[in-house]
Amino acid sequence: MSRVTIRPGIGRDVALMFGPSITLAAAKKAAVMVKTQMGVGTVDDRNHAVARADLTDRIDVSVRPGHAQDHSVVLSVKGREGTEIASHLEFGYVNNRAGRRLAGMHSMRNVASKLKV
């Protein structure tokens, strides 16, 4: 019987070995997954305010080159007045005046945990 261990930095080493092309493919896949998850009808009922809103035309998920071999997946969602609301959808927010709380969707975190490189 033997034990196989994988070093924690192996993903970084693979990215360095194969260069930006491997991280670009993973970033594009992540962008598609985020766009699909943020689309209408994929939000659970506790986020009723988001479930009623059709955000598909206001969501922009882009892949930008990062440092060296890295790529960034950037989520941008415009609100009704043109303000940036991506952080509110991702992490949640409290509307004290209306007495409502919107739970965060955590779409970026969920996609990152499902993504296999």
Side-chain angles (χ1 to χ4, degrees), residues 30-108:
V32 170
M33 290 170 71
V34 168
K35 182 91 170 172
T36 303
Q37 186 173 352
M38 293 288 291
V40 68
T42 60
V43 181
D44 55 1
D45 290 335
R46 69 180 178 173
N47 291 329
H48 54 80
V50 178
R52 288 193 311 258
D54 183 12
L55 299 174
T56 53
D57 59 336
R58 293 187 269 158
I59 294 175
D60 179 42
V61 181
S62 60
V63 176
R64 298 181 185 167
H67 179 70
Q69 73 277 357
D70 295 330
H71 286 85
S72 300
V73 178
V74 180
L75 172 66
S76 174
V77 183
K78 296 294 181 189
R80 291 185 191 107
E81 294 88 29
T83 57
E84 184 62 43
I85 61 169
S87 62
H88 297 306
L89 292 177
E90 183 68 17
F91 303 111
Y93 74 97
V94 176
N95 185 339
N96 291 327
R97 190 171 47 166
R100 289 188 314 213
R101 181 183 185 282
L102 178 72
M105 295 171 64
H106 306 290
S107 57
M108 297 293 274

